[in-house]
Amino acid sequence: IVKLLSSGDHVVAGDDLYGGTFRLLRRVYEKFGIGLTVVDTSDAVALRDAMRPNTRMVWLESPSNPLLKLTDLRVAAEIAHEHKALAVADNTFATPYLQRPLELGVDIVVHSTTKYLGGHSDVVGGAIVVDDGELAERLAFLQNAAGGVPGPMDCFLVLRGLKTLAVRMDRHCDNAVRIAEHLSRHAQVKQVYYPGIESHPSADVAARQMARPGGMISFVLNGSVEEAKRLTSMTKVFSLAESLGGVESLIEHPPTMTHASVPREQRLAAGLDDGLIRLSVGIEDVEDLVADLDQAIARCRTAAAATGVVR
């Protein structure tokens, strides 16, 4: 996607952005003369203020990774188009089953097919979706010239996964709603980030542009960074891993894993607390998942008490 840009162009991206995307934009493409401004894209005023005469692309994540912020994609696309910039949405978390950014005015939709579209944690790939013939030709030329062509087996695995996308996403959502509601009542949890609960600041946006709130949850443990890291190693059903979107449930600690490349000051400014935990809720029995989180949190607190560090 960034190959559509040239030296001297400028990109506006969300401040709560997947760490790998931030790393590419800040530490790779800036060296080639492509500028970057990060901003809370859920704030339309802040997004408009971040635009410059040379802004050529607005990179959006909604829900974002890992704080599950929601951006009004229709409004964001309109702002991008006012400045003759492309609006690009990473729709990996939502998938086309839950959200369709092209119908909201976005120019380019990006998916990591490694995640929900493949659905079984056995393929690595990506997809770019557009509904503009000229733009499709430009991207096809770049793909042919610069690579990025998936192998036949990779394509087969993604197509296999797409056959069960709807039924899997419904189960992911059912389980995630139950877990998010449980965690929001847990004494050792400071905050839950999930578009499907009333406390989410953009629940109205979720209701407007998403069919359902998805299978990703983030929450802040009431403890230190060490306790949060310890918690991720104490689950028995949730596996400790950075990926997401498979049939199995995963748990990770963004500050030291997926978002370790983001400077701590920037992480904290964007709301990524040291105690933040991210869950990719799978399709297992939901009561097993709830019980697993409860026992892990309890063991984590017991371990903290034994060391004399309890909050």
Side-chain angles (χ1 to χ4, degrees), residues 75-155:
V75 171
E78 290 173 354
I79 293 172
H81 296 158
E82 287 170 7
H83 294 78
K84 310 226 180 302
L86 290 169
V88 182
D90 184 331
N91 202 38
T92 296
F93 274 21
T95 81
Y97 184 67
L98 302 181
Q99 181 172 262
R100 300 180 182 179
L102 292 179
E103 297 177 2
L104 300 172
V106 168
D107 302 293
I108 301 174
V109 178
V110 179
H111 296 279
S112 172
T113 58
T114 308
K115 311 303 192 302
Y116 287 108
L117 298 190
H120 294 78
S121 305
D122 55 7
V123 64
V124 175
I128 301 170
V129 185
V130 300
D131 61 1
D132 178 271
E134 181 181 348
L135 187 54
E137 286 186 11
R138 291 173 64 191
L139 290 167
F141 169 79
L142 290 169
Q143 183 183 39
N144 180 64
V149 180
M153 188 63 181
D154 301 316
C155 295

Side-chain angles (χ1 to χ4, degrees), residues 4-18:
L4 293 170
L5 304 175
S6 303
S7 179
D9 288 345
H10 175 250
V11 176
V12 174
D15 59 351
D16 180 35
L17 189 67
Y18 170 57

Side-chain angles (χ1 to χ4, degrees), residues 227-235 238-241 251-253 257 276-278 296:
E227 288 176 79
K229 289 171 63 177
R230 185 183 297 121
L231 171 64
T232 62
S233 65
M234 289 185 167
T235 53
F238 284 85
S239 297
L240 175 59
I251 186 170
E252 66 111 355
H253 182 235
M257 295 175 68
L276 186 71
I277 303 292
R278 192 191 74 179

Side-chain angles (χ1 to χ4, degrees), residues 137-273:
E137 286 186 11
R138 291 173 64 191
L139 290 167
F141 169 79
L142 290 169
Q143 183 183 39
N144 180 64
V149 180
M153 188 63 181
D154 301 316
C155 295
F156 164 77
L157 291 172
V158 175
L159 289 171
R160 176 207 59 183
L162 287 172
K163 294 177 182 178
T164 59
L165 178 64
V167 67
R168 286 187 288 107
M169 292 308 298
D170 280 335
R171 182 61 175 260
H172 287 303
C173 292
D174 289 344
N175 285 356
V177 168
R178 168 77 172 87
I179 291 170
E181 291 175 346
H182 177 76
L183 289 173
S184 68
R185 299 188 295 268
H186 201 292
Q188 300 303 327
V189 173
K190 289 198 294 186
Q191 189 168 0
V192 176
Y193 300 99
Y194 183 64
I197 57 177
E198 293 182 359
S199 60
H200 194 283
S202 299
D204 60 326
V205 178
R208 188 165 62 247
Q209 72 183 23
M210 297 182 71
R212 299 193 68 184
M216 300 299 298
I217 302 172
S218 290
F219 68 95
V220 180
L221 184 68
N222 186 20
S224 65
V225 62
E226 291 77 15
E227 288 176 79
K229 289 171 63 177
R230 185 183 297 121
L231 171 64
T232 62
S233 65
M234 289 185 167
T235 53
K236 298 178 180 179
V237 182
F238 284 85
S239 297
L240 175 59
E242 286 193 353
S243 193
L244 61 101
V247 293
E248 66 284 329
S249 293
L250 304 179
I251 186 170
E252 66 111 355
H253 182 235
T256 58
M257 295 175 68
T258 50
H259 292 68
S261 62
V262 181
R264 184 172 185 270
E265 296 75 17
Q266 182 176 327
R267 281 196 291 101
L268 294 177
L272 274 73
D273 191 282

